[in-house]
Amino acid sequence: MPTLETDRLILRSFRKRDVDAMAQLFANPDFMRFSLGVFTQRKQTVVFIEKVMGWDRAGIPSQFAVIPRGKDTIIGYCGFFYHPEHGIEDIEIGYRLNPDYWNRGLITEAARTVRDHGFRDRNLSRVISLIHPENLPSRRVAEKNGMKVERKITFRGFPTLVFAVTREQWLATRGVG
Ligand SMILES: CC(C)(COP(=O)(O)OP(=O)(O)OC[C@H]1O[C@@H](n2cnc3c(N)ncnc32)[C@H](O)[C@@H]1OP(=O)(O)O)[C@@H](O)C(=O)NCCC(=O)NCCS
């Protein structure tokens, strides 16, 4: 995976030595809002890191560690997820951020860069984000990422809005947001 840069962030591939930093985040209930719950065992973080490193090795779009420029601290993740086991063929852009950094526009910045990377460098035809209807900050990020609600599904037992943007829509609005 390439390293991506935004005004305020570095987005880089995950490494094995990120387990401790990520385990701390995954144990935080705010970081894990609208998920199946906090990780209580280090092994769960190891599984996450090995999964995304596997995608990197396979050369397919993966997750990025989100790091503020000039720092050495991971404050979240933003990147691509796959859900074929749930009958979803589209690639998702998913994200979580350390609550100390919320509402500064950081994940919007990261998600736009990830989206642009997907369409520009990975030739994706469409990307989605799967969001609980009550998750207003995430819905706002998806909107600011140029996505629109397409339909409502049940995902992992929860009501879920499918936000989507196609390559054509992205091309038509390039330079706008
Ligand atoms: C979702 C999340 C990643 C957003 O990160 P962030 O860097 O704070 O997002 P941004 O600052 O780029 O944008 C957040 C937007 O939501 C808005 N917002 C925040 N709280 C809100 C609320 N309670 N109601 C409505 N809008 C809200 C902010 O005002 C901002 O919109 P604006 O730029 O129009 O003002 C972060 O809240 C998070 O990690 N949440 C827990 C994990 C999660 O829910 N992940 C997504 C799963 S689908």
Side-chain angles (χ1 to χ4, degrees):
M1 286 281 276
T3 295
L4 306 178
E5 298 189 18
T6 76
D7 285 349
R8 291 175 289 173
L9 301 168
I10 303 293
L11 308 178
R12 66 141 168 89
S13 303
F14 277 100
R15 303 162 185 166
K16 272 194 176 156
R17 64 173 177 276
D18 296 329
V19 169
D20 287 343
M22 288 310 295
Q24 237 184 322
L25 291 173
F26 283 130
N28 181 327
D30 286 325
F31 184 82
M32 293 302 269
R33 280 192 77 207
F34 297 103
S35 73
L36 297 179
V38 295
F39 288 4
T40 54
Q41 294 168 12
R42 185 183 159 84
K43 173 77 187 154
Q44 294 169 283
T45 302
V46 172
V47 167
F48 173 89
I49 300 243
E50 283 180 350
K51 181 174 67 180
V52 303
M53 285 179 62
W55 295 336
D56 285 328
R57 276 196 301 276
I60 59 174
S62 184
Q63 279 292 329
F64 294 91
V66 175
I67 298 164
R69 271 182 189 274
K71 292 205 179 170
D72 197 20
T73 324
I74 299 183
I75 60 169
Y77 68 73
C78 182
F80 299 103
F81 282 129
Y82 304 86
H83 308 289
E85 71 279 21
H86 296 283
I88 295 169
E89 298 307 324
D90 287 315
I91 300 182
E92 183 189 21
I93 294 180
Y95 33 73
R96 292 186 181 277
L97 187 68
N98 180 332
D100 293 347
Y101 293 83
W102 284 359
N103 294 325
R104 301 184 196 175
L106 288 172
I107 284 296
T108 298
E109 206 170 294
R112 284 176 173 162
T113 299
V114 163
R115 171 204 64 190
D116 291 351
H117 169 64
F119 286 135
R120 189 190 55 229
D121 308 326
R122 299 297 191 141
N123 210 24
L124 301 182
S125 56
R126 182 183 136 85
V127 287
I128 63 169
S129 285
L130 299 171
I131 302 176
H132 191 287
E134 290 167 19
N135 192 348
L136 300 180
S138 186
R139 288 177 64 153
R140 187 76 194 111
V141 169
E143 284 166 8
K144 290 191 287 178
N145 204 16
M147 294 183 167
K148 292 201 166 39
V149 179
E150 199 170 67
R151 63 202 163 103
K152 193 171 171 184
I153 61 171
T154 300
F155 179 64
R156 292 178 169 147
F158 292 97
T160 299
L161 298 172
V162 179
F163 280 78
V165 59
T166 64
R167 179 185 189 75
E168 286 69 31
Q169 288 164 343
W170 172 74
L171 281 170
T173 56
R174 258 169 93 172
V176 175

